[in-house]
Amino acid sequence: MLYNELGKTGLEVSRLGFGTMRLPTINSNADIDESEASAMLKYGIENGINIIDTAFPYHSVGIDGNGNSERFVGEFLKENDLRDEILLHTKSPSWLIEKKEDFDTYLDLQLEKLQTDYVDIYLLHSLTVPDWYKVKDLEVLDFLDECLSSGKVKHVGFSSHIEVDYLIEILDEYPKWEVVMTQMNYLDEYYQSGVMGLDYLKEVKVGSMIMEPLRGGRLVNNIPDEVQKLWDMAETKRTPVEWALQYLWNRDDVDCVFSGMTSLEQVKQNIEIASTIDKISPYDQELIREVARTYRTFLGNRCTRCGYCMPCPHGVDIINCLTEYNIAHMMGDPKASAMQYFTLIDDDSRADSCIDCKECLPFCTQMIDIPKELQRVYEYFGSEFDHF
Ligand code: SF4
Ligand code: SF4
């Protein structure tokens, strides 16, 4: 295993972190196959992984529920006497916070589930811009100060899918942020906070943790022929998993990559890759860019996310509606994109809020008929009821 310094935390983290949101299950998502999951965690730790990521809702029945991932991780660490060997990383469910006291209520419940007195890293989970303003009004920064001084939490940060401007705004408001988790893979360099976000994290010495390195497995399953032909031209032959992970570990602004692993075989494979120094040549780096360009040819519309059409006077999140539609076409996984569409975009900002006023049309740099595209997005994803 290879290790990196995590920003200014003083921690050394394995460059592969163990994500526990996709553990093997038996009958339902809430029903973790504990024997298989324990074997995976044990192998991971014995082979150098020193950080585990979990969160309040992972492995719950509903999206806002109290999940079993934290409970399982807590039991595993206790039974194997591993708590002090591992950096434990969990997250406050920011969307569930309604009043100031809720911060403490959830943290105490999480510590109980995890069977520990402290967590090493505590993030505000999946922070959206409205949730950031909400928790700020509820004095979240005072709560974080108290967590740090009481020792219940050693380092604080946030995870988010927001755009880079908001990421920077939040980072600049609190000098004690030490860790941020963002989505990154070779397709997402300019999606959400992307490479610009990573660049800023490096500049301010905040540890960078990566989620979705394989885009939920979509960069490694059902590889289109056009993409495979490109991989076959590489100077160094790699598997799709190696391409995706080594792309990240070739970046000097990435500290730790979390992979949500589902089988022991995946753990073994990822550890082997994480233990190998594999410098990607300039030719192969260009090939990765070509693969990304090829995936983009499968897009559903031409939106470049330039943002000139925003804000919509009626509150439609034009960029993310068109983007999730694009991703669904590009990656061929409509269910996963629907999940993103309905969880990342607020009720009032989805495609069905467009009233066809056409005020955005003159601003589109790609001459997209935006209301028409939004109608397609609406027809494609349907209503939330169809999916959950
Ligand atoms: S046409 Fe739709 S997306 Fe465009 S400005 Fe009007 S409501 Fe907003
Ligand atoms: S102006 Fe056009 S291309 Fe730019 S974000 Fe809006 S819809 Fe997309």
Side-chain angles (χ1 to χ4, degrees), residues 309 312-316 318 353-361 370-371 374:
C309 57
C312 156
H314 301 280
V316 180
I318 303 170
S353 294
C354 173
I355 61 160
D356 197 17
C357 69
K358 298 188 172 42
E359 286 186 42
C360 54
L361 285 184
I370 295 172
L374 288 169

Side-chain angles (χ1 to χ4, degrees), residues 161-185:
H161 296 272
I162 51 181
E163 307 292 317
V164 66
D165 295 356
Y166 290 117
L167 185 96
I168 291 174
E169 181 186 318
I170 297 172
L171 276 166
D172 286 352
E173 282 209 37
Y174 188 54
K176 295 182 188 170
W177 297 128
E178 287 185 285
V179 181
V180 168
M181 185 183 238
T182 58
Q183 174 166 330
M184 184 65 179
N185 54 67

Side-chain angles (χ1 to χ4, degrees), residues 301-310 318-319 322 360 363-368 370:
N301 59 60
R302 302 187 306 279
C303 178
T304 59
R305 296 180 57 83
C306 69
Y308 284 103
C309 57
M310 298 280 281
I318 303 170
I319 300 182
L322 297 191
C360 54
F363 299 104
C364 182
T365 54
Q366 305 301 309
M367 287 178 282
I368 297 170
I370 295 172

